[in-house]
Amino acid sequence: MIYDLVIKGGTLVTPSGTSVADLAISKGRIVAHGRGFTGRQEIDADGRLVLPGVIDAHTHMALPVGGTRSSDDFHSGTVAAACGGVTTIIDFTVGARDLSLPAAVEERLITAQKAVIDYALHAELVGWTAERVGEIFAVAKAGVRSFGEIFTTYSESGRRTSLGDLQVALTAIRKISGTAMVHAEADELVHPEEGPYPPARPALAEAVAIAQVGVIAAHTGCCTCIAHVSSAPGLAALFAAQKQGAPILGETCPQYLLLDEQVYAREDGHLFSVVPPLRREEDQQALWSALETGGLALLSTDHCPFTRAQKEVGKDDPTRLPAGLPGIETLLPLIYSAGVDKGRLPLTALPRLLSEGPAKTYGLYPQKGTLAIGADADLVVFDPTAKWTIHAERLHMAIDFSPYEGMAMCGAVETTISRGMIIYAKGSFQGEAGWGRFITR
Ligand SMILES: [Zn+2]
């Protein structure tokens, strides 16, 4: 038997453990684990980790915000993803009050066509009307089974969903066995006129909203994922809701683990604007520990880059500051380096939080998110000994700074494989525009 591609002698890492084996791929799928395999193409993975491809379930490519757009589009953003070991993204439709959900999906699929890796879409829920219930059923038939972000805040821009409408939405999403993704900040505790900074968007606002959403999730039985949990009070509210039986999960992102609010005091502090804002060291500790124990189900990036020039307009007027950070290319290396190498997370947490967690939360499992036989051959060969330093100009994201500039890293992506095709190897992107497929769920 000669396979299409064999990854030889790597350490296969799954959520339940590690083993050294060959992994064989044919027709874009994983077909065997074993020893002594032969392939038309072979990759020597001796001393390397073999991981399921990373699923970044929270990205905002070419997102229109206040007259500008996030600087990565579906091409540049997914090239960067491939270079960072990400093989699937879940991006969002761009919702609007007068746009139906099916029309928003159709529009976004045109924008997404040039993606170099597979993608799925969350249907953004803004401007709730009675028609949305029927639209939720319609897009579910078209393969979109997650709905978000649903915002409990941003009333100033008309994006907020009231608690009453949230209850109706979650009831409908429950009926199609979908997942709701909620951006949880209590609007009454947020002061948008002060910009995307901690005093204006306190952890208290996050905690209050998570508690409220938790009650509605429990009441409706709708699987609900809280996007970008950023704080210890937010986590406490999440755990309380879980304890009461709410089907509620949490996501966090590298920026909340590795950066803190002290950066806002820097001359270029406005570059770090993101919502929720960065928090304190004790919040970081609580988030790391929740990742380790399984209290948080997944890690994503909320990738939403804006260049120095785009952020400059908000330097002196925080109400005009676009909030969002780049992150898709550095997700896996940062979590390996700061998590596994520093002893905060076991190796098995990588596939659990970066692949299986998002795949199960959003209905991609077991096609994606696992090394099991039959799964799509979306894989990463990772060198755990490589030493390098983050410099924005060496990364592939369409942005001229990195929030992690100068950070010393241990471990690097060596090869990325998408459905059996090598799309990144030896430091260069080798995939092609349009290779990515829309994954229906
Ligand atoms: Zn959000």
Short mmCIF file of all heavy atoms in Angstrom, two decimals, residues 58 60 92 149-151 154 181-185 227-228 251 256 275-276 302, ligand 1:
data_model
loop_
_atom_site.label_atom_id
_atom_site.label_comp_id
_atom_site.label_asym_id
_atom_site.label_seq_id
_atom_site.Cartn_x
_atom_site.Cartn_y
_atom_site.Cartn_z
N HIS A 58 -12.86 32.22 15.79
CA HIS A 58 -13.26 33.61 16.02
C HIS A 58 -12.33 34.53 15.25
O HIS A 58 -11.31 34.98 15.78
CB HIS A 58 -13.23 33.91 17.52
CG HIS A 58 -13.83 35.22 17.91
ND1 HIS A 58 -14.23 35.50 19.18
CD2 HIS A 58 -14.10 36.34 17.20
CE1 HIS A 58 -14.72 36.73 19.25
NE2 HIS A 58 -14.64 37.27 18.05
N HIS A 60 -12.16 37.89 12.27
CA HIS A 60 -12.90 38.98 11.59
C HIS A 60 -12.07 39.48 10.42
O HIS A 60 -11.34 40.46 10.53
CB HIS A 60 -13.15 40.14 12.55
CG HIS A 60 -14.00 39.79 13.75
ND1 HIS A 60 -15.36 39.63 13.68
CD2 HIS A 60 -13.67 39.59 15.04
CE1 HIS A 60 -15.85 39.36 14.89
NE2 HIS A 60 -14.84 39.32 15.74
N PHE A 92 -17.36 35.49 10.35
CA PHE A 92 -18.74 35.93 10.61
C PHE A 92 -19.35 36.56 9.37
O PHE A 92 -18.64 37.20 8.59
CB PHE A 92 -18.74 37.00 11.72
CG PHE A 92 -18.19 36.52 13.03
CD1 PHE A 92 -16.82 36.47 13.25
CD2 PHE A 92 -19.05 36.12 14.05
CE1 PHE A 92 -16.30 36.02 14.46
CE2 PHE A 92 -18.54 35.67 15.26
CZ PHE A 92 -17.17 35.61 15.46
N GLU A 149 -21.44 37.18 16.32
CA GLU A 149 -21.62 37.42 17.72
C GLU A 149 -23.02 38.01 17.94
O GLU A 149 -23.52 38.76 17.12
CB GLU A 149 -20.55 38.39 18.22
CG GLU A 149 -19.17 37.79 18.21
CD GLU A 149 -18.06 38.74 18.67
OE1 GLU A 149 -18.24 39.41 19.69
OE2 GLU A 149 -17.05 38.81 17.97
N ILE A 150 -23.61 37.62 19.07
CA ILE A 150 -24.81 38.28 19.55
C ILE A 150 -24.31 39.23 20.64
O ILE A 150 -23.67 38.79 21.59
CB ILE A 150 -25.82 37.28 20.14
CG1 ILE A 150 -26.14 36.18 19.12
CG2 ILE A 150 -27.08 38.00 20.60
CD1 ILE A 150 -26.99 35.03 19.69
N PHE A 151 -24.55 40.52 20.45
CA PHE A 151 -23.97 41.51 21.36
C PHE A 151 -24.97 41.92 22.43
O PHE A 151 -26.10 42.29 22.12
CB PHE A 151 -23.54 42.75 20.58
CG PHE A 151 -22.51 42.48 19.52
CD1 PHE A 151 -22.88 42.33 18.18
CD2 PHE A 151 -21.17 42.36 19.85
CE1 PHE A 151 -21.92 42.07 17.21
CE2 PHE A 151 -20.21 42.10 18.88
CZ PHE A 151 -20.58 41.95 17.56
N TYR A 154 -23.05 47.63 22.83
CA TYR A 154 -23.00 48.41 21.59
C TYR A 154 -24.37 48.95 21.21
O TYR A 154 -24.72 49.03 20.04
CB TYR A 154 -22.44 47.60 20.41
CG TYR A 154 -21.00 47.15 20.55
CD1 TYR A 154 -20.65 45.83 20.31
CD2 TYR A 154 -19.98 48.05 20.90
CE1 TYR A 154 -19.33 45.39 20.41
CE2 TYR A 154 -18.66 47.63 21.01
CZ TYR A 154 -18.35 46.29 20.76
OH TYR A 154 -17.04 45.87 20.86
N MET A 181 -23.17 32.30 19.96
CA MET A 181 -21.91 32.87 20.44
C MET A 181 -22.19 34.30 20.89
O MET A 181 -22.61 35.13 20.08
CB MET A 181 -20.89 32.86 19.32
CG MET A 181 -19.56 33.43 19.72
SD MET A 181 -18.67 33.86 18.23
CE MET A 181 -17.02 33.46 18.67
N VAL A 182 -22.00 34.53 22.17
CA VAL A 182 -22.42 35.81 22.74
C VAL A 182 -21.23 36.65 23.19
O VAL A 182 -20.33 36.16 23.89
CB VAL A 182 -23.39 35.59 23.93
CG1 VAL A 182 -23.82 36.92 24.53
CG2 VAL A 182 -24.62 34.79 23.49
N HIS A 183 -21.23 37.89 22.75
CA HIS A 183 -20.29 38.89 23.27
C HIS A 183 -20.97 39.50 24.48
O HIS A 183 -21.96 40.22 24.36
CB HIS A 183 -20.01 39.94 22.19
CG HIS A 183 -19.19 41.10 22.67
ND1 HIS A 183 -18.02 41.49 22.05
CD2 HIS A 183 -19.35 41.96 23.71
CE1 HIS A 183 -17.50 42.54 22.69
NE2 HIS A 183 -18.30 42.84 23.69
N ALA A 184 -20.46 39.17 25.67
CA ALA A 184 -21.16 39.48 26.91
C ALA A 184 -20.51 40.63 27.67
O ALA A 184 -19.48 40.47 28.33
CB ALA A 184 -21.21 38.22 27.79
N GLU A 185 -21.11 41.79 27.57
CA GLU A 185 -20.79 42.93 28.44
C GLU A 185 -22.12 43.62 28.71
O GLU A 185 -22.86 43.90 27.75
CB GLU A 185 -19.86 43.92 27.75
CG GLU A 185 -18.42 43.48 27.58
CD GLU A 185 -17.60 44.54 26.84
OE1 GLU A 185 -17.87 44.75 25.65
OE2 GLU A 185 -16.72 45.15 27.46
N ALA A 227 -17.92 34.46 24.03
CA ALA A 227 -16.72 34.86 23.30
C ALA A 227 -15.75 35.58 24.24
O ALA A 227 -16.16 36.22 25.21
CB ALA A 227 -17.10 35.78 22.14
N HIS A 228 -14.49 35.43 23.94
CA HIS A 228 -13.41 36.19 24.59
C HIS A 228 -13.62 36.55 26.06
O HIS A 228 -13.66 37.72 26.42
CB HIS A 228 -13.05 37.45 23.79
CG HIS A 228 -14.24 38.26 23.29
ND1 HIS A 228 -15.23 38.70 24.11
CD2 HIS A 228 -14.56 38.68 22.04
CE1 HIS A 228 -16.11 39.39 23.38
NE2 HIS A 228 -15.72 39.38 22.12
N GLU A 251 -14.74 30.85 25.79
CA GLU A 251 -13.56 30.99 24.94
C GLU A 251 -12.70 32.10 25.52
O GLU A 251 -13.22 33.06 26.08
CB GLU A 251 -14.05 31.40 23.54
CG GLU A 251 -13.00 32.03 22.64
CD GLU A 251 -13.62 32.91 21.55
OE1 GLU A 251 -13.96 32.38 20.48
OE2 GLU A 251 -13.76 34.13 21.77
N TYR A 256 -5.56 38.06 26.22
CA TYR A 256 -5.99 38.15 27.62
C TYR A 256 -5.11 37.31 28.55
O TYR A 256 -5.12 37.49 29.76
CB TYR A 256 -7.46 37.73 27.75
CG TYR A 256 -8.34 38.59 26.89
CD1 TYR A 256 -8.99 38.08 25.77
CD2 TYR A 256 -8.46 39.96 27.14
CE1 TYR A 256 -9.75 38.88 24.94
CE2 TYR A 256 -9.21 40.78 26.32
CZ TYR A 256 -9.85 40.23 25.22
OH TYR A 256 -10.59 41.04 24.40
N VAL A 275 -11.69 44.91 22.45
CA VAL A 275 -12.86 44.77 23.32
C VAL A 275 -13.20 43.29 23.48
O VAL A 275 -13.35 42.60 22.48
CB VAL A 275 -14.08 45.52 22.72
CG1 VAL A 275 -15.33 45.23 23.56
CG2 VAL A 275 -13.83 47.01 22.68
N PRO A 276 -13.33 42.81 24.75
CA PRO A 276 -13.08 43.53 25.99
C PRO A 276 -11.62 44.00 26.05
O PRO A 276 -10.76 43.44 25.39
CB PRO A 276 -13.35 42.50 27.09
CG PRO A 276 -14.07 41.37 26.42
CD PRO A 276 -13.71 41.42 24.99
N ASP A 302 -9.99 36.08 18.00
CA ASP A 302 -10.69 37.34 17.76
C ASP A 302 -9.84 38.21 16.81
O ASP A 302 -9.78 39.43 16.95
CB ASP A 302 -10.97 38.07 19.08
CG ASP A 302 -12.02 39.17 18.94
OD1 ASP A 302 -12.57 39.35 17.84
OD2 ASP A 302 -12.27 39.85 19.95
ZN ZN B 1 -16.68 40.34 20.54
#
